[in-house]
Amino acid sequence: MAETPAAEKTQYQGQMHLLQKEMMGRYFERVTRAAEKGEGKAVYMLISGNPVELVQAFDLIPVYPEIDALQLAAKKSALPFILKAEELGYSMDNCAYVKADVGMFLGDRKTPFATIPLPSLILCNYVGCNVYLQWFEHLAEYCDGQLYNLDIPFLRDPSGVPSAEDVTYVVRQLEEVIEACERLTGKKLDYAKLKQIVSRSSETGQMWARIKALTKNLPSPFDAYFDSVTMMAPLYCLRGTEEGVRFFETALKEMEEKVRLGQGPLPQERFRFVIEGPPPWGHLRAFRDMFSKWGAVAVASTYSTVGGLWEFGFHHDANHPLESIAQHMLQWNVTNRNFLQRYQQLRRYVEEWHADALVIHSVKSCRLFSAGQGDMREYFTKELNVPTLLIESDLEDPRYFSEAQLKNRVDAFFESLEHKKMVRAGADAGGAA
Amino acid sequence: MTTVENIVSRYREPLENSPLDLVQDWKRTRPDAKIVGCYPVYTPVELIHAAGMLPVGVIGAGNRLEIAHADSRFQSFVCSIVKSTLELGLTDRLKFLDGMVFHSICDPARNLGSVFTRNFPDLMVEYIHFPQNMTSPHTVEYMLAEYKRIAVSYEKLARRKITDEALSNSIALYNTQRRLMRELYAIRHATPQNLSTVECYVLTRIGTLLPAEEHIAILEEAIPQLRQRNEKPKDRIRVVLEGSFCEQPPLELLEGLEAAGCYILDDDFVIGWRWFAEDIPTDGDPMRNLANAYLNRSVYSGVKHDTREPKSKHLIDKFKDARADAVLILAAKFCEPALFDYALYKRALEKEGIPHLCLEFEEKMWIFDKARTEVETFVESMLFD
């Protein structure tokens, strides 16, 4: 049996992480001021394929209940809210993001990171996830708020692209969202301003794509799962702003420098894996350490493409702002793509990012991600011969994180990968002799 | 004349054992006929029928099918119907189907559509995205485009054009079927002692498996007989049942609920096949009529998010309309739409002071004592408090 290596922890805290902390701190201050002092109006939205550009164009404040929920989990304060929601009638089996958020929403909306304002508009960008519809329907009932269901037709055609009618339908709805924002702010849309914001989104998307391509390097300069989440908050909350552009310039420069120096997130990169599924926010550190101890680095992740999929060539087009926002929502994010398109996305990651394995983190809360991942495993192991590990926990609910069990599974998997590597190295050496 | 008792006993056993056997029996005598399976909840079956094919409801496998393969593809926290449907496919029990259509009802059902596409390459697998923006004036155009797209797919499979005339005729046919089912439910509404829940269920569910013409003939024979019945009402509470719009509860469970002391005056079993509260117009552009009807004439449902009126208002209206004593929520285990709805229903029912009970079921369940005891306790608390 191979010796279990001692735990290796990443100590890396670059400029990017500091800047993220500072910018997100400012964002949450703005959110809190809206709640406590009535400065500005909040628009609730969902992360998947979010049309944040429209909200920025009206200087409204984007508030994402998913980010609030994941922050609650990360700060280990989700469980009391989940329990409160369950007391109100939510099931053990309902998505815990929703339960944590509802529990928080129905109280004083004070959290360890911000006070959450009531929504002036509840914009349900229904991009893939069906629970989104329920979630915002519930919030609207609880606060008697204005709800708009922005319906995004799912990618259901074998071609994998939306039809012209799908695009028209979304653009027409975006125009209605603009009208709703105009009523809310008493201002007409400044089209030139929208174009400028979309242009910044385009720049941001292109930089993000370049950053993600850097993990094709050996070693990978950062972990495309655990470090990507650092970059995702600015991508959703600050996309389209100057600040957001500055963040991504800094991140890109820093990561390019790491590539030049041959540095990775771990002292030694021994395994490269692709990971599917959202992270267990309440136990991110413990989860990361399970992989770090094996020198395993995530070189690509589907989770980092929930809000948008930029690494395969898409970027916003300032000359066609509404059409490109529609394209982003319809086609260029993982959640609105069908399950088989996700298999192909993962396959590209494994092949083009030179990964040794696929790890599927199956979370109970998010069935959009998880339902059917056993079939995905079947495809990767049987059809493509890619070593695949399927593990289960949750993204929010701490009751579903069984650390010892997960550790055993991860250890057994990498042990067997290591064994295969040794056998292969032995065979190669034998062949060369 | 075939009696209602005979009809129910003729069909009850296949419905409990293996519902799709009824379709296979039909196919044996018509080997060239094409059949499209419809996953819950609502399918515009007229489009399939107008292409000369038979639409049939593939609504789970009941509690007699052992899940031996599908549970390695779908996790323990996914509802039973997703797994039983895949199991039917993986054990070659859907070979008689030419196509299968899924809809945007929930996340597992959507992924199941993709898993079907990968695992059964010979089957035409379609997916309809039903709009969730019910207020935009542009939605109907989107829907029309979606129906045109799906119609092309059916035409390819059937090798036959869907003409306006054929579609209008299909709409008229299914209008008749739905109208008769509304009549059936009206009988139960007015005189629940004359039509048991299981009888009503069997008479309805066979409509998802037989050609509409045959189902219509059966209902036309049954309904006058039911109107002649004159049973004495029992000392039971009157309830409306909600939450079983997709996965279907075992018939033994329904019997148990009634025996525990409830008249179930209204429910949402196989609601997708009873989707319209009134006829769809047959004059004018039939496809537009079909699309318009979805937006403006369909019943409320946990899988349709109409911001014009809260679902709980509809449930309370249904309760009042039935002059019921209580609401029974019967939700499939792990069914996120039904379980989320319950939170809103509970709040609204409490506000109105309407007694209610929430039970979870699984199509594969075998033991009903616990559910029965819970309902008995609930009924007793209502009758004697």
Side-chain angles (χ1 to χ4, degrees):
Chain A
M1 195 181 102
E3 190 87 349
T4 307
E8 274 177 9
K9 286 190 184 182
T10 160
Q11 298 298 324
Y12 172 67
Q13 280 286 323
Q15 189 61 30
M16 173 185 99
H17 292 80
L18 295 174
L19 197 58
Q20 194 262 13
K21 229 172 158 179
E22 189 191 306
M23 285 180 175
M24 288 312 293
R26 273 206 297 277
Y27 163 77
F28 281 124
E29 279 165 23
R30 188 177 170 216
V31 166
T32 301
R33 278 202 307 278
E36 293 178 353
K37 303 200 171 112
E39 286 176 29
K41 290 179 174 168
V43 175
Y44 281 19
M45 266 190 302
L46 295 141
I47 290 294
S48 298
N50 59 80
V52 72
E53 290 81 7
L54 287 184
V55 173
Q56 307 281 25
F58 285 95
D59 298 313
L60 293 160
I61 306 166
V63 171
Y64 298 97
E66 281 154 298
I67 292 189
D68 301 340
L70 76 84
Q71 286 285 343
L72 288 175
K75 307 264 189 256
K76 302 213 185 288
S77 39
L79 191 57
F81 293 127
I82 294 173
L83 294 174
K84 181 174 164 191
E86 287 177 358
E87 268 171 42
L88 292 172
Y90 289 86
S91 161
M92 278 291 286
D93 300 314
N94 278 135
C95 168
Y97 259 6
V98 181
K99 286 186 284 188
D101 182 54
V102 162
M104 182 270 287
F105 187 84
L106 292 174
D108 58 8
R109 300 187 310 284
K110 283 196 192 331
T111 72
F113 50 92
T115 308
I116 308 302
L118 283 169
S120 295
L121 173 65
I122 304 174
L123 176 56
C124 181
N125 47 305
Y126 166 46
V127 182
C129 171
N130 274 60
V131 168
Y132 279 175
L133 292 160
Q134 312 261 355
W135 190 344
F136 275 24
E137 180 183 10
H138 288 217
L139 294 185
E141 270 205 46
Y142 294 143
C143 68
D144 208 10
Q146 192 201 340
L147 171 64
Y148 184 91
N149 278 351
L150 174 47
D151 177 34
I152 307 298
F154 191 64
L155 288 191
R156 59 222 180 275
D157 193 76
S159 67
V161 297
S163 67
E165 288 87 355
D166 290 350
V167 179
T168 307
Y169 174 45
V170 174
V171 169
R172 292 285 98 84
Q173 292 180 85
L174 291 173
E175 288 164 354
E176 291 175 9
V177 172
I178 290 171
E179 284 166 25
C181 292
E182 287 178 341
R183 282 195 298 275
L184 188 61
T185 56
K187 284 192 303 193
K188 276 299 222 197
L189 171 71
D190 179 346
Y191 197 69
K193 183 174 175 177
L194 176 66
K195 282 175 80 162
Q196 192 188 27
I197 289 166
V198 171
S199 160
R200 289 195 200 113
S201 274
S202 171
E203 244 183 289
T204 302
Q206 290 178 69
M207 285 190 281
W208 177 229
R210 280 171 63 191
I211 291 169
K212 293 187 110 186
L214 293 175
T215 53
K216 289 179 182 172
N217 284 287
L218 266 109
S220 169
F222 66 95
D223 188 291
Y225 193 51
F226 297 105
D227 293 322
S228 280
V229 298
T230 308
M231 292 181 262
M232 285 164 67
L235 189 63
Y236 308 143
C237 299
L238 306 174
R239 195 172 73 245
T241 66
E242 275 177 60
E243 219 181 0
V245 172
R246 215 169 55 243
F247 172 80
F248 281 95
E249 281 168 355
T250 308
L252 177 60
K253 228 169 90 191
E254 194 166 323
M255 291 304 137
E256 281 176 339
E257 180 64 6
K258 283 174 64 95
V259 170
R260 203 182 60 77
L261 297 171
Q263 286 177 354
L266 299 175
Q268 199 199 345
E269 177 183 289
R270 297 170 58 225
F271 297 101
R272 298 166 66 83
F273 67 100
V274 170
I275 184 159
E276 144 84 355
W281 289 109
H283 303 84
L284 208 55
R285 182 85 252 176
F287 195 54
R288 183 172 196 161
D289 288 345
M290 290 179 201
F291 297 95
S292 297
K293 73 179 260 202
W294 287 95
V297 175
V299 293
S301 63
T302 46
Y303 182 64
S304 60
T305 62
V306 167
L309 181 55
W310 280 276
E311 57 255 44
F312 298 143
F314 169 76
H315 56 86
H316 284 81
D317 176 0
N319 291 320
H320 303 97
L322 294 187
E323 288 74 10
S324 75
I325 291 172
Q327 289 289 357
H328 171 220
M329 301 186 82
L330 281 157
Q331 192 182 353
W332 296 101
N333 61 80
V334 69
T335 41
N336 208 49
R337 298 183 158 216
N338 67 55
F339 202 37
L340 298 182
Q341 285 178 294
R342 201 178 333 146
Y343 292 14
Q344 293 315 309
Q345 184 179 337
L346 285 163
R347 182 182 181 163
R348 276 189 76 172
Y349 286 155
V350 170
E351 290 170 357
E352 295 173 27
W353 271 256
H354 313 290
D356 307 301
L358 170 65
V359 174
I360 302 172
H361 181 231
S362 175
V363 297
K364 180 180 176 184
S365 276
C366 184
R367 289 166 174 90
L368 173 143
F369 256 107
S370 60
Q373 279 170 332
D375 187 74
M376 177 187 279
R377 173 181 56 190
E378 191 91 357
Y379 173 72
F380 278 91
T381 53
K382 300 236 167 101
E383 307 253 321
L384 302 183
N385 221 3
V386 174
T388 302
L389 171 68
L390 176 67
I391 42 179
E392 280 185 29
S393 78
D394 197 54
L395 44 73
E396 182 83 11
D397 195 328
R399 293 169 294 181
Y400 295 107
F401 190 85
S402 160
E403 187 166 348
Q405 204 182 348
L406 286 169
K407 226 166 147 189
N408 283 341
R409 301 283 320 276
V410 173
D411 283 346
F413 181 72
F414 282 100
E415 214 165 89
S416 113
L417 264 190
E418 184 146 85
H419 181 71
K420 277 186 207 147
K421 234 179 185 172
M422 267 158 47
V423 170
R424 211 166 43 232
D428 288 350
Chain B
M1 190 184 80
T2 322
T3 64
V4 172
E5 292 75 10
N6 282 343
I7 298 168
V8 172
S9 69
R10 150 89 181 81
Y11 288 109
R12 179 174 174 152
E13 203 200 303
L15 279 185
E16 291 192 302
N17 270 324
S18 176
L20 294 169
D21 286 356
L22 289 170
V23 187
Q24 304 218 44
D25 292 346
W26 181 84
K27 170 103 178 176
R28 240 168 254 129
T29 59
R30 294 164 191 80
D32 296 330
K34 292 223 153 102
I35 304 177
V36 176
C38 307
Y39 195 77
V41 175
Y42 167 69
T43 307
V45 287
E46 288 89 341
L47 292 171
I48 298 168
H49 185 265
M53 303 187 288
L54 179 70
V56 302
V58 177
I59 313 176
N63 59 9
R64 312 276 165 95
L65 179 74
E66 192 200 346
I67 306 293
H69 310 278
D71 50 0
S72 74
R73 310 294 180 93
F74 281 88
Q75 299 91 325
S76 57
F77 51 75
V78 174
C79 65
S80 185
I81 185 173
V82 162
K83 284 184 257 195
S84 66
T85 306
L86 181 60
E87 188 73 21
L88 287 171
L90 293 174
T91 52
D92 289 340
R93 287 176 166 93
L94 298 178
K95 284 269 184 224
F96 66 95
L97 290 179
D98 299 284
M100 182 82 189
V101 56
F102 295 89
H103 319 89
S104 50
I105 55 165
C106 69
D107 298 324
R110 183 181 45 230
N111 288 1
L112 179 63
S114 284
V115 170
F116 258 69
T117 302
R118 189 180 90 78
N119 285 276
F120 311 115
D122 296 336
L123 190 69
M124 179 214 73
V125 179
E126 261 302 348
Y127 181 88
I128 299 179
H129 177 94
F130 285 115
Q132 295 289 2
N133 183 340
M134 312 293 279
T135 58
S136 169
H138 304 289
T139 304
V140 70
E141 298 306 322
Y142 159 75
M143 250 205 119
L144 198 56
E146 180 68 346
Y147 280 1
K148 282 187 182 151
R149 181 188 69 80
I150 197 98
V152 170
S153 193
Y154 292 151
E155 286 175 341
K156 231 165 83 188
L157 182 66
R159 294 207 199 95
R160 180 162 141 185
K161 278 271 167 224
I162 299 174
T163 63
D164 279 359
E165 195 195 346
L167 187 54
S168 287
N169 289 339
S170 299
I171 290 174
L173 178 73
Y174 284 95
N175 272 344
T176 305
Q177 186 195 37
R178 285 185 292 255
R179 181 176 48 75
L180 289 168
M181 288 192 280
R182 287 198 295 271
E183 282 179 27
L184 198 65
Y185 270 77
I187 292 173
R188 198 146 61 101
H189 221 254
T191 50
Q193 69 276 17
N194 289 345
L195 174 62
S196 77
T197 302
V198 165
E199 285 175 323
C200 184
Y201 185 88
V202 171
L203 289 169
T204 307
R205 176 77 187 270
I206 55 175
T208 71
L209 297 160
L210 304 172
E213 296 85 346
E214 277 182 42
H215 185 224
I216 287 169
I218 291 173
L219 291 181
E220 280 174 342
E221 199 155 29
I223 286 171
Q225 293 180 50
L226 293 169
R227 290 204 173 113
Q228 294 301 313
R229 281 189 181 172
N230 191 14
E231 301 292 323
K232 237 178 89 189
K234 293 192 176 116
D235 205 10
R236 289 177 171 174
I237 64 163
R238 297 159 59 87
V239 303
V240 294
L241 184 149
E242 187 77 33
S244 309
F245 46 82
C246 181
E247 186 171 318
Q248 298 296 293
L251 294 183
E252 298 104 300
L253 175 62
L254 300 185
E255 273 170 341
L257 298 182
E258 267 194 338
C262 302
Y263 279 128
I264 300 170
L265 303 164
D266 205 350
D267 59 59
D268 56 356
F269 305 140
V270 286
I271 192 71
W273 293 72
R274 309 187 280 120
W275 197 241
F276 301 101
E278 53 189 308
D279 282 355
I280 302 173
T282 48
D283 55 335
D285 176 353
M287 214 176 290
R288 187 172 284 274
N289 291 345
L290 209 52
N292 259 323
Y294 182 89
L295 294 172
N296 297 312
R297 287 171 195 247
S298 57
V299 296
Y300 75 98
S301 160
V303 295
K304 201 180 77 183
H305 300 270
D306 190 341
T307 55
R308 291 173 292 194
E309 238 170 358
K311 275 175 233 158
S312 42
K313 181 191 173 296
H314 289 284
L315 176 60
I316 289 166
D317 287 348
K318 195 188 218 177
F319 166 86
K320 288 181 177 162
D321 186 40
R323 289 173 292 108
D325 305 308
V327 170
L328 185 59
I329 305 287
L330 187 63
K333 191 157 177 56
F334 303 119
C335 173
E336 283 218 283
L339 295 171
F340 269 124
D341 278 348
Y342 173 61
L344 288 187
Y345 288 153
K346 179 172 185 277
R347 182 171 176 264
L349 293 169
E350 279 170 3
K351 212 182 261 175
E352 291 277 325
I354 298 172
H356 61 275
L357 177 70
C358 180
L359 292 175
E360 283 188 21
F361 75 94
E362 279 192 281
E363 60 169 350
K364 65 179 184 198
M365 74 197 285
W366 267 107
I367 297 161
F368 309 101
D369 299 355
K370 188 173 164 277
R372 191 172 161 156
T373 311
E374 274 186 68
V375 177
E376 269 168 3
T377 312
F378 178 70
V379 170
E380 277 166 24
S381 77
M382 293 215 33
L383 286 177
F384 303 113
D385 271 6

